[in-house]
Amino acid sequence: ELSVDFAKSYEGKLRFSQPVVKLKDLLGHNDECSTIGGTLNYTFPVQRILAGTGDLVMHSLAIGCSPYSLAAPQESRLPIRGGALQLKGLSLTTLESSLDLDGELGIAKGFNMSARGRLELSALLPLLPSMDDLRGLLKTDVSLQGPLSLPSVTGTAQLTDGQFGVS
């Protein structure tokens, strides 16, 4: 639902709800396990559409298949300020993995965020259809900066017992 007031406030409002669906239905690949669902509320000045405020309520966010899937353990409310999604305190976890995200992400602002944690690489296998096997534990402390089209990644990553197979 989009509404724009050109007469008084010169402000637009966007509200979008996505019921929980499998990512494969949105992205067209064969990931049977990953899900996403949420509600976006966004208010913006007409003359600066990408500088709005609001929030994104994630009802479901899960990546990968059990037992290695990464998921937000509860509903998460992520504020939007200056057109950028604020990721402070967003954690994706499972029994063997934990990935903590911090910073912001926006169309105009790009990446200004960090990711820290331990990731069982098997969680990513459903997202990589050309791979037959992906294993190992990745410990990471990385920073992503710059435009969405060409981010700069810096930091450290340590892979233990890594293994992959490509068909």
Side-chain angles (χ1 to χ4, degrees), residues 66-71 92-99 118 120 123:
S66 186
Y68 302 114
S69 64
L70 284 171
L92 302 175
T93 61
T94 188
L95 294 176
E96 311 232 352
S97 299
S98 173
L99 188 62
R118 299 166 41 98
E120 177 57 53

Side-chain angles (χ1 to χ4, degrees), residues 17-48:
S17 287
Q18 173 63 57
V20 177
V21 296
K22 291 185 177 185
L23 276 180
K24 74 172 190 135
D25 296 336
L26 293 177
L27 303 178
H29 59 76
N30 58 358
D31 176 359
E32 288 291 332
C33 303
S34 299
T35 61
I36 190 166
T39 302
L40 171 70
N41 295 295
Y42 187 67
T43 302
F44 56 92
V46 171
Q47 65 276 22
R48 295 184 327 136

